Amino acid sequence: MKLNEATALVTGANRGLGFALATDLVRRGAKVYATARRPELVDIPGAEVLRLDITDPDSVEAAAAAARDVDVLINNAAFTGGGNLVTGEMDSIRAVMDSNYYGTLAMIRAFAPTLARNGGGAILNVLSGAAWVTVDGNTAYAAAKSAEWGLTNGVRLELADRGTQVTAMVPSLIATRTLLDFAEEHDLPLPEEDLHDPADLARTALDAFEAGEEEILDAMAKRAKATLAGTGAEQ
Ligand SMILES: NC(=O)c1ccc[n+]([C@@H]2O[C@H](COP(=O)([O-])OP(=O)(O)OC[C@H]3O[C@@H](n4cnc5c(N)ncnc54)[C@H](OP(=O)(O)O)[C@@H]3O)[C@@H](O)[C@H]2O)c1
């Protein structure tokens, strides 16, 4: 897949990593639908702006009807709060699952026929190292990202025969306002060597996505995933 010839839709493009991904796609020459719940907040010259709330079925359906030329779907939007599973509010726990899991799934179900019609195309799901290492204060988010990882693997299997590439982007620490505020509130250390600038990360991740990689992990995510297979600290 060549991103300079692609038509890409990015969710949550008004800020953070979504803004960086959409901006980098425009720089590469792609046609870009930069979507947001509040489209008036999207400021990306060269992008076409669409209103989209991934947890609202009517909104998802309207976006799929409006963007029938898409061949690259980037599922970035997410509520990244949620608190802890045992002591947190159930409404927040449901909200974090709603955007990360059900919202991403709704987008994939709505756009899979479009991707197939346009030659197969590709999906990039933005996961998190939190899928593999949970953080006290936000265990609900970690559980939702674990579910989204399972979703990504399942969808890859199901869409393989349509020729749709399904890639998991698994960053760990991105210097967006949301992370910086969470780190300050929870006294979470942010080691400089593991903290990514959103624009730099978007560029390197899109290079790997374009090269056809199935999983794009940063160093911290690689360490986290290694512990799952029993190949972490003990070796
Ligand atoms: N920052 C990190 O350290 C980090 C690390 C690993 C993975 N990630 C992942 O990277 C992605 C982006 O993170 P970020 O730090 O850039 O987040 P962010 O700055 O908090 O931005 C989240 C984006 O998602 C949008 N959004 C939330 N719920 C939505 C919904 N229902 N429909 C449409 N848009 C919705 C937000 O829109 P509003 O402005 O309207 O709220 C915003 O544009 C997320 O998937 C996150 O899990 C982040």
Side-chain angles (χ1 to χ4, degrees):
M1 173 244 319
K2 289 190 175 139
L3 287 175
N4 63 331
E5 296 170 4
T7 298
L9 184 144
V10 182
T11 64
N14 54 303
R15 62 188 169 110
L17 179 65
F19 171 82
L21 288 165
T23 301
D24 200 73
L25 285 161
V26 170
R27 179 187 69 79
R28 288 168 191 257
K31 175 178 173 183
V32 178
Y33 292 102
T35 73
R37 291 192 280 203
R38 287 169 296 165
E40 67 277 13
L41 298 183
V42 180
D43 182 14
I44 305 178
E48 197 162 314
V49 179
L50 278 184
R51 179 188 304 278
L52 173 60
D53 180 337
I54 62 166
T55 62
D56 174 353
D58 292 341
S59 180
V60 171
E61 198 184 312
R68 294 174 60 82
D69 52 350
V70 164
D71 56 9
V72 167
L73 170 64
I74 301 198
N75 289 309
N76 160 81
F79 170 48
T80 61
N84 272 347
L85 285 161
V86 178
T87 54
E89 298 292 330
M90 272 312 274
D91 284 352
S92 288
I93 295 166
R94 285 189 203 285
V96 79
M97 201 69 183
D98 256 352
S99 61
N100 286 282
Y101 184 79
Y102 290 110
T104 299
L105 179 57
M107 286 298 293
I108 291 170
R109 289 168 62 99
F111 277 89
T114 300
L115 298 177
R117 213 173 36 247
N118 295 332
I123 297 171
L124 181 69
N125 286 347
V126 181
L127 309 182
S128 167
W132 301 320
V133 171
T134 199
V135 177
D136 191 19
N138 211 2
T139 57
Y141 168 70
K145 284 299 189 191
S146 295
E148 196 184 357
W149 182 48
L151 176 161
T152 304
N153 293 335
V155 166
R156 182 181 303 119
L157 185 74
E158 290 186 44
L159 298 185
D161 63 0
R162 302 185 192 186
T164 303
Q165 172 189 330
V166 178
T167 295
M169 174 179 173
V170 194
S172 300
L173 300 173
I174 314 167
T176 63
R177 191 69 267 149
T178 301
L179 175 72
L180 299 176
D181 288 350
F182 179 84
E184 195 177 332
E185 196 183 323
H186 293 264
D187 222 3
L188 181 75
L190 296 176
E192 209 176 303
E193 64 279 12
D194 285 316
L195 186 62
H196 303 288
D197 170 73
D200 292 346
L201 184 69
R203 192 175 56 253
T204 54
L206 288 173
D207 284 346
F209 179 51
E210 185 167 43
E213 288 186 25
E214 284 190 353
E215 282 192 346
I216 305 165
L217 278 56
D218 67 7
M220 214 172 174
K222 280 182 189 157
R223 294 197 294 273
K225 192 177 181 195
T227 63
L228 295 182
T231 53
E234 74 274 19
Q235 285 194 1

